[in-house]
């Protein structure tokens, strides 16, 4: 069992940046695939970015070149740097630990046009 807490969401203008952080209750990232997902009203939850225990990353086509996922094993955190934000990035963003099937509570990102 692991608890995940997201932070860093907020309201920004188109073209702005935000950095989201996911803090785990214990050290798990070295043996687990972690991911950032998002869900907008009326849409299904979608994968944004994932990172494996070996550091390999994958991104949704819609965010490639704009978002970067990273981890700090010592600090038990997973970050998502979001640049060049667009209104279509507006959603609740969730951290997910795949092996533990554990979700964070979500953090809201709103991009105004």
């Amino acid at each position: 069992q692991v608890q995940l807490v997201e932070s860093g969401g907020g309201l920004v203008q188109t073209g702005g940046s935000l950095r989201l952080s996911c803090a785990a209750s214990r050290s798990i990232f070295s043996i687990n695939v972690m991911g950032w997902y998002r869900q907008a009203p009326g849409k299904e939850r979608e994968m944004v970015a994932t990172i494996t225990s070996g550091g390999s990353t994958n991104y949704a086509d819609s965010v490639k070149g704009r978002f970067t996922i990273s981890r700090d094993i010592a600090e038990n955190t997973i970050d998502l740097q979001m640049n060049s934000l667009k209104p279509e990035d507006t959603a609740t963003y969730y951290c997910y630990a795949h092996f533990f099937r554990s979700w964070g509570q979500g953090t809201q990102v709103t991009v105004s046009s």
Side-chain angles (χ1 to χ4, degrees):
Q1 185 178 4
V2 63
Q3 284 73 50
L4 305 172
V5 179
E6 304 97 332
S7 62
L11 173 64
V12 299
Q13 297 181 28
T14 297
S17 297
L18 285 173
R19 188 175 182 88
L20 307 183
S21 183
C22 170
S25 59
R26 60 187 178 92
S27 181
I28 61 168
F29 299 157
S30 64
I31 60 171
N32 186 50
V33 176
M34 301 294 298
W36 281 99
Y37 294 73
R38 67 186 181 187
Q39 186 167 25
K43 296 184 178 181
E44 66 181 9
R45 190 169 298 184
E46 64 175 347
M47 185 275 289
V48 176
T50 60
I51 185 166
T52 70
S53 60
S56 298
T57 58
N58 284 301
Y59 298 91
D61 288 342
S62 60
V63 307
K64 286 181 179 178
R66 300 189 298 120
F67 291 10
T68 303
I69 187 171
S70 61
R71 67 179 180 179
D72 188 328
I73 296 176
E75 298 295 328
N76 301 322
T77 58
I78 296 288
D79 290 349
L80 184 70
Q81 178 66 46
M82 305 185 295
N83 298 326
S84 302
L85 284 163
K86 306 174 181 179
E88 50 263 44
D89 295 319
T90 295
T92 301
Y93 284 70
Y94 299 89
C95 183
Y96 184 58
H98 286 232
F99 180 81
F100 296 94
R101 300 179 180 179
S102 180
W103 295 93
Q105 84 285 357
T107 186
Q108 179 65 38
V109 171
T110 302
V111 185
S112 64
S113 59

